Every structure is written in structure tokens, then in C-alpha cells.
């Protein structure tokens, strides 16, 4: 692989041991994927920050790195395993929580912004069109590649850390024009209105296309940010989609040809829609409602607060968001309303990465295609995938009845 003089110096250890180690990681990756050179990047969103995933090995590695080096480019952190302010109140185990805080602290020493969210694009890490970046977290990757048109591969903790320390990524995958073309054209035959509709679409298409690039045609109403957040998360979990295009909506469809020379076409109509909803069609008492996967936007916090005003929940409810969005929700009075109804507003963490939610719940409703996909296997629960309004009503009633 071609390396500039500066990159060779990094590899030779001229900038210290951790920079050398990181450059070795990137060169090895580049060799594996046939990269011809490195690309300079402008920012990183780092996964692997949850102690549940990183464990002691990850903690020790980052602590060691923090003694020797720091991030060269702005770096935000993905979700962690606890609510860092309220871990005792919510009931996160002490030993786990302290290790988690140590891990975040090590990243902070390296210069990372402790955003602790899977929606960094809502809290200041908003790359520009065409910018090369290094991001982890599957839903955020699909969002930033597709909706913003920045360029990242699906990075893990070690490669994102290496990219942050060196400011480089090997030039392969979604950094290159030729890998950003659509392999599947999906003709929409249903009108999409709610986040749930987009989650259902994403779930179906992710299963069909795996890790290839889908292109959607025929979406009539302009999707909202929340719609696209839901679509990105579902595509990236039932499949491994890191990039999609929507004709007339996402930027690459406005700036050039997005279909590959050879592609397959399939439709998404009411039958395809039904196949997904039938899969997550639990009907009965509800133990917990989980909202905010990916983390809630301020618009979602407002919707939840409006619907919960002067209401009491019969089921448990978790509303997951970032600390930055919660601060705004506090100012707007939304947090108080949501908590008064009996819900927990949980920051920093993720229902899947935290050790608290797998504690005996059997019946879960959610708006999230990603959670609906992972929860049954992880927690052995029955799941309903509903639109936000229905999720909240199910929490208020303590049950979900289809067709009522
Ligand atoms: Fe975010 Fe966790 Fe969902 S990282 S997208 S809340 S599974």
C-alpha cells in the first residue's frame, strides 16, 4: 500500500508506540481489503465503549493507549453500558458501573467527547457530504453514509480507535465510489407514514439484501429525520446494510447515478409489510415499553411527553436518549412529564448493551426494528413492533390488543 512520508513515520514509530500500533492495525486492514492508500479523515464515532463488550481486555488497552496518545480528529463515543449519572438509582451493578466509568474516562483522557450515544449526528457530530470519516454503530453508519452522504466503513472499536489516533483509514469499501452503487432497486407499493412503517420496510429489505446497497423508489411523502433513523437501524440489524439511497431524498441520488450496471428489482407492498408485522405481533399484557433505539430525538421526546401528560403507566417504560437531548428535554419540561407518568428517562446507554433490562421481562413492545430483531434472542421475550403512539398507549393500558 502506498504510504505518505508522514504515514511511514507513524508506522516506523516516530510518533510513539501507540501511533505505531494503530498504523499497523490500519495497514493490516488495508492489506486484507486491497486498499491502495490511506485516506485522511475528519472525525470518528467510536464503538466498543461499552464495558459489556470491551471487558477488561478492552479497558486495559484503552487505559494503556490513554497514557501514550490522543485522538488527532474529533471523536465522539457510542452508547455505554450504564446511565453514567443515575446508575445507582436505576440499579446498574456497582462493579460493572465503576469499570464502565473507568473506560469512558480513559477515552476522555484521549480527547474523546463523551457523547455516549448512537445518534451522534443529533448532538454535534454531523459530518458533511462526501467527507471521509470512521464510524462504528450500525444504525449510525447507515444514517451517516446514506442520509448525509459521508463515507465510512462499518468500524469496530480497535479500528475506530486507530483511525482517531492516526487520522487515517485505509481506502476501501464505502470510501470508494464504485462500492456505493445500488445492487437492489426496491419499488414501494405502500405509503409510508410512521416510524414503524420505515422500521418494517428496513427489516424486510435488510433480510433480502444482506450487506448490499438497496435503492428505494416510490416513497411519496418526504421522510422525517426520525423516519430515516428508524429505517437505518432496521436495515442494519435484520441485514448488515451500511448504505442505502432513496430516490429524490438522499444526496447521492441528487448528484449522480446511484444504480450499479447490474441490479435486481423487487417490490415492497402490503404483503411484504404484513410478513414483518406478523413476525412481531405479540398481543396481550405488556411488561415494558422500550423507546429510543436509536436514541430519541427532541421531537420524539416532545411526542412522548405530550401523550403522557397527566397519564400513569401500568407497564414499565424506558425512554432512551443522549444526555445532550435530555438536557434540552429538561429545559422544555418534557423529562418531568415523562417521569411523572412513571417512565424512566435513561441516558448514555442502550437496552442491549446494559446489564439491567434482561431481568425477567417476558412481554416487550417497542418502536424499534433493531430491538424487535435482537430482543427475542437476547432476552427470550415476546415482542410487538408498534408505532410510537401505540407503544405509549400499550404502556398506559398495561396491555396491547391488536385491532383495538
Ligand atoms: Fe442505539 Fe442500542 Fe439501539 S446502540 S440503536 S439503543 S441497540
Amino acid at each position: 500500500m502506498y504510504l505518505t512520508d508522514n504515514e511511514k513515520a507513524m508506522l516506523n514509530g516516530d510518533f510513539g508506540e501507540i501511533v505505531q500500533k494503530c498504523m499497523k492495525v490500519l495497514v493490516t486492514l488495508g492489506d486484507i481489503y486491497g486498499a491502495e492508500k490511506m485516506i485522511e479523515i475528519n472525525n470518528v464515532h467510536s464503538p466498543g465503549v461499552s464495558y459489556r463488550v470491551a471487558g477488561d481486555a478492552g479497558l486495559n488497552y484503552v487505559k494503556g493507549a490513554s497514557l501514550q496518545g490522543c485522538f488527532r480528529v474529533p471523536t465522539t463515543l457510542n452508547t455505554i453500558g450504564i446511565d453514567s449519572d443515575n446508575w445507582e438509582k436505576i440499579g446498574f451493578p456497582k462493579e460493572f458501573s465503576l469499570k464502565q466509568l473507568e473506560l469512558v474516562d480513559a477515552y476522555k483522557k484521549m480527547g474523546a467527547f463523551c457523547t455516549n450515544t448512537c445518534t451522534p449526528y443529533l448532538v454535534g457530530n454531523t459530518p458533511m457530504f462526501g467527507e471521509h470519516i470512521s464510524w462504528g454503530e450500525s444504525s449510525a453508519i447507515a444514517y451517516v453514509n446514506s442520509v448525509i452522504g459521508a463515507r465510512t466503513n462499518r468500524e469496530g472499536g480497535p479500528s475506530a480507535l486507530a483511525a482517531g489516533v492516526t487520522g487515517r483509514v485505509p481506502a476501501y469499501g464505502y470510501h470508494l465510489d464504485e462500492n456505493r452503487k445500488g445492487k437492489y432497486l426496491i419499488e414501494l407499493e405502500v405509503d409510508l407514514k410512521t416510524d414503524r412503517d420505515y422500521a418494517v420496510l428496513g427489516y424486510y429489505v435488510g433480510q433480502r439484501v444482506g450487506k448490499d446497497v438497496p435503492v428505494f423508489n416510490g416513497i411519496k411523502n418526504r421522510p422525517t429525520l426520525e423516519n430515516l433513523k428508524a429505517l437505518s437501524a432496521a436495515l442494519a440489524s435484520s441485514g448488515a446494510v451500511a448504505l442505502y439511497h432513496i430516490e429524490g431524498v438522499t444526496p447521492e441520488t441528487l448528484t449522480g447515478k446511484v444504480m450499479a450496471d447490474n441490479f435486481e428489482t423487487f417490490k415492497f407492498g402490503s404483503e411484504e409489510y404484513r410478513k414483518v408485522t406478523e413476525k412481531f405481533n405479540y398481543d396481550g399484557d405488556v411488561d415494558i415499553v422500550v423507546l429510543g433505539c436509536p436514541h430519541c430525538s427532541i421531537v420524539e421526546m416532545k411526542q412522548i411527553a405530550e401523550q403522557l401528560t397527566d397519564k400513569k403507566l401500568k407497564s414499565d417504560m424506558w425512554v432512551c436518549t443522549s444526555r445532550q437531548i435530555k438536557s434540552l428535554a429538561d429545559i422544555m419540561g418534557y423529562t418531568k412529564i415523562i417521569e411523572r407518568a412513571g417512565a424512566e428517562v435513561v441516558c448514555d446507554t442502550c437496552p442491549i448493551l446494559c446489564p439491567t433490562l434482561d431481568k425477567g421481562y417476558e412481554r416487550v413492545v417497542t418502536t424499534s426494528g433493531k430491538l424487535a430483531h435482537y430482543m427475542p434472542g437476547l432476552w427470550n421475550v415476546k415482542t410487538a413492533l408498534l408505532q410510537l403512539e401505540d407503544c405509549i398507549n400499550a404502556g398506559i393500558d398495561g396491555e396491547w390488543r391488536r385491532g383495538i
Side-chain angles (χ1 to χ4, degrees):
M1 183 194 314
Y2 169 78
L3 296 179
T4 63
D5 288 346
N6 199 20
E7 289 157 0
K8 279 183 199 153
M10 290 189 208
L11 191 61
N12 290 337
D14 297 1
F15 294 94
E17 196 189 339
I18 187 66
V19 177
Q20 183 181 35
K21 260 190 197 165
C22 289
M23 189 49 98
K24 274 186 185 166
V25 167
L26 298 175
V27 168
T28 305
L29 263 179
D31 286 343
I32 291 169
Y33 290 103
E36 291 178 357
K37 59 175 186 170
M38 292 286 171
I39 303 177
E40 288 195 34
I41 53 159
N42 287 344
N43 78 67
V44 169
H45 181 62
S46 182
V49 195
S50 164
Y51 176 68
R52 196 174 202 188
V53 175
D56 284 330
L59 172 60
N60 292 333
Y61 184 79
V62 181
K63 273 168 73 178
S66 73
L67 299 176
Q68 302 173 53
C70 63
F71 293 122
R72 282 179 171 230
V73 294
T75 297
T76 49
L77 299 184
N78 198 37
T79 46
I80 61 174
I82 58 170
D83 181 313
S84 56
D85 266 2
N86 286 321
W87 58 270
E88 278 179 297
K89 177 180 154 258
I90 297 173
F92 289 94
K94 184 170 180 185
E95 196 186 335
F96 178 93
S97 300
L98 295 179
K99 294 266 194 182
Q100 177 64 78
L101 291 172
E102 232 186 306
L103 182 55
V104 171
D105 204 43
Y107 272 104
K108 193 173 158 195
K109 274 198 190 119
M110 294 185 75
F113 299 112
C114 305
T115 47
N116 306 346
T117 182
C118 48
T119 54
Y121 47 88
L122 296 180
V123 299
N125 190 346
T126 318
M128 286 179 286
F129 177 75
E131 217 173 19
H132 293 280
I133 59 175
S134 173
W135 276 30
E137 167 43 39
S138 62
S139 68
I141 293 163
Y143 186 96
V144 79
N145 264 327
S146 314
V147 180
I148 294 177
R151 297 182 170 215
T152 180
N153 287 319
R154 285 166 66 107
E155 303 293 356
S159 62
L161 187 142
V165 166
T166 60
R168 301 289 192 283
V169 290
Y172 72 93
Y174 297 107
H175 292 286
L176 307 180
D177 289 346
E178 61 265 31
N179 299 320
R180 298 181 68 88
K181 300 291 181 210
K183 298 278 178 56
Y184 289 89
L185 180 65
I186 296 94
E187 295 288 357
L188 271 287
E189 293 184 356
V190 286
D191 281 352
L192 305 175
K193 294 190 180 90
T194 64
D195 296 344
R196 186 227 200 186
D197 294 342
Y198 279 87
V200 169
L201 170 67
Y203 193 90
Y204 181 82
V205 172
Q207 276 187 319
R208 285 282 301 259
V209 309
K211 61 182 174 49
D212 282 328
V213 179
V215 179
F216 299 99
N217 189 36
I219 292 186
K220 289 192 186 129
N221 305 311
R222 193 166 186 82
T224 63
L225 181 153
E226 288 74 19
N227 294 158
L228 296 173
K229 183 160 75 74
L231 176 65
S232 302
L235 280 167
S237 40
S238 68
V241 172
L243 167 67
Y244 60 88
H245 304 290
I246 303 177
E247 289 291 355
V249 174
T250 55
E252 278 164 68
T253 67
L254 308 174
T255 53
K257 174 178 167 242
V258 289
M259 295 311 305
D261 290 339
N262 296 308
F263 60 89
E264 279 180 40
T265 302
F266 63 89
K267 74 176 176 76
F268 180 81
S270 47
E271 180 57 21
E272 289 73 23
Y273 190 100
R274 195 189 53 75
K275 275 187 188 155
V276 176
T277 53
E278 282 301 304
K279 190 175 163 84
F280 305 114
N281 67 349
Y282 171 71
D283 176 311
D285 292 347
V286 171
D287 297 326
I288 184 166
V289 179
V290 185
L291 307 174
C293 169
H295 280 174
C296 283
S297 68
I298 192 64
V299 171
E300 290 168 311
M301 295 299 283
K302 176 173 189 268
Q303 287 168 342
I304 297 165
E306 283 176 352
Q307 208 180 327
L308 284 179
T309 300
D310 298 329
K311 297 283 189 327
K312 278 282 171 216
L313 291 161
K314 286 193 181 142
S315 311
D316 288 354
M317 180 185 283
W318 263 35
V319 179
C320 299
T321 190
S322 62
R323 192 155 299 285
Q324 299 78 16
I325 295 291
K326 179 175 176 286
S327 296
L328 184 52
D330 292 349
I331 293 166
M332 299 303 294
Y334 304 150
T335 310
K336 261 200 189 123
I337 296 171
I338 294 169
E339 289 180 343
R340 209 180 292 134
E344 196 82 67
V345 176
V346 185
C347 294
D348 301 324
T349 192
C350 151
I352 286 174
L353 292 175
C354 77
T356 310
L357 277 182
D358 48 358
K359 63 177 186 190
Y361 291 121
E362 291 176 4
R363 300 153 298 195
V364 183
V365 301
T366 183
T367 46
S368 169
K370 182 169 177 178
L371 274 190
H373 177 68
Y374 287 116
M375 273 189 308
L378 281 173
W379 302 348
N380 193 24
V381 294
K382 294 177 188 140
T383 315
L385 173 60
L386 308 177
Q387 62 197 56
L388 183 60
E389 193 187 350
D390 289 337
C391 274
I392 296 171
N393 282 335
I396 293 168
D397 298 340
E399 61 178 358
W400 166 246
R401 300 279 173 219
R402 272 183 290 159
I404 292 177

